[in-house]
Amino acid sequence: MTAQSSAEAIQPHSRNMLDGRHLVPGERVIWESRPAMAIVLLRPIIITVLALAFASIVLSYDGSLAYLVAALALAALMIPFDRRFGIPAAIAGIIIAFLVSLDRTWEALVFIPVVLGVLPLITTYLNWRNTVFVLTDRRIISQYGFLSRHFSDTGLDKVQSISLSQPLLERIFGFGDIAIITSGDLGRAVRRRPGLRFHSGGDVVWENVPRPFETEKLLSEHVYRPMAPPRAAAA
């Protein structure tokens, strides 16, 4: 299969996801995609459901110990799914659950853990919406960030290896992680974004890539282009 036919096989649609201002004159986008939404938003959706379930229990509190225990358990479960907002949401939820058990007039405060529980879904979606994986005829580009937009790129001739891995959850749903290595060794992670990991040495990992085997093959076809045969010496 040629590079062109591979691109046709996995090109999602011409949606112009990449900010075209980052391209140099004459540069052509061969393939672009985003991380799989189902994987990226899974944890934020769970914490949102937990926050709404917590609010439902608190607002319908009937004075029984079972209701209080259930509310406290739901508040605590928000922590492992998003530590940035999950910890303050859980702390606020636990305090509010105890206050409501003493006086129902405190139940209006239930919106605090709900808002904190929904924020990860909003911020993660905005980050996902602005995260783009791109292959051009010259570079491999990663676009990310919704408040401040950032670009990370490397020339095709600078890539030393490309590797593919499938953690269990991604393998079940048919996604995978593609590591683009420029220094010969994948260093420690120095930055992380939804769907992206940046490592020391300039390496980048695209996470939750749809159709990962086709994508990895397409990247390899452009990075490891066969060398043109040497011309015969003139007689």
Side-chain angles (χ1 to χ4, degrees), residues 73-155:
L74 288 170
L77 283 174
M78 286 189 272
I79 295 176
F81 290 101
D82 191 294
R83 294 187 179 276
R84 297 169 303 161
F85 298 105
I87 292 177
I91 293 173
I94 291 171
I95 294 172
I96 291 167
F98 277 115
L99 290 175
V100 171
S101 68
L102 300 174
D103 187 346
R104 290 294 300 270
T105 60
W106 291 101
E107 66 183 18
L109 296 177
V110 76
F111 78 91
I112 296 175
V114 170
V115 169
L116 291 172
V118 173
L119 275 176
L121 180 60
I122 297 172
T123 58
T124 303
Y125 171 78
L126 291 174
N127 273 302
W128 169 84
R129 187 69 178 78
N130 290 278
T131 299
V132 185
F133 309 143
V134 184
L135 169 67
T136 77
D137 56 354
R138 303 183 187 185
R139 295 180 289 170
I140 293 174
I141 304 172
S142 303
Q143 173 186 294
Y144 61 97
F146 72 93
L147 292 177
S148 299
R149 180 161 290 178
H150 304 277
F151 297 89
S152 174
D153 60 62
T154 185

Side-chain angles (χ1 to χ4, degrees), residues 4-16:
Q4 181 178 0
S5 61
S6 293
E8 292 172 351
I10 65 173
Q11 180 73 28
H13 290 294
S14 181
R15 290 176 287 185
N16 298 320

Side-chain angles (χ1 to χ4, degrees), residues 128-206:
W128 169 84
R129 187 69 178 78
N130 290 278
T131 299
V132 185
F133 309 143
V134 184
L135 169 67
T136 77
D137 56 354
R138 303 183 187 185
R139 295 180 289 170
I140 293 174
I141 304 172
S142 303
Q143 173 186 294
Y144 61 97
F146 72 93
L147 292 177
S148 299
R149 180 161 290 178
H150 304 277
F151 297 89
S152 174
D153 60 62
T154 185
L156 295 178
D157 59 332
K158 302 298 183 183
V159 178
Q160 294 194 3
S161 64
I162 298 169
S163 63
L164 168 65
S165 63
Q166 282 188 301
L168 179 59
L169 184 61
E170 294 180 40
R171 184 177 182 184
I172 291 173
F173 290 101
F175 308 125
D177 299 342
I178 295 178
I180 300 161
I181 303 171
T182 58
S183 59
D185 185 24
L186 194 64
R188 63 181 181 85
V190 294
R191 278 181 295 163
R192 187 180 183 92
R193 297 290 186 273
L196 278 171
R197 289 201 316 271
F198 295 97
H199 292 253
S200 57
D203 309 321
V204 62
V205 178
W206 291 349

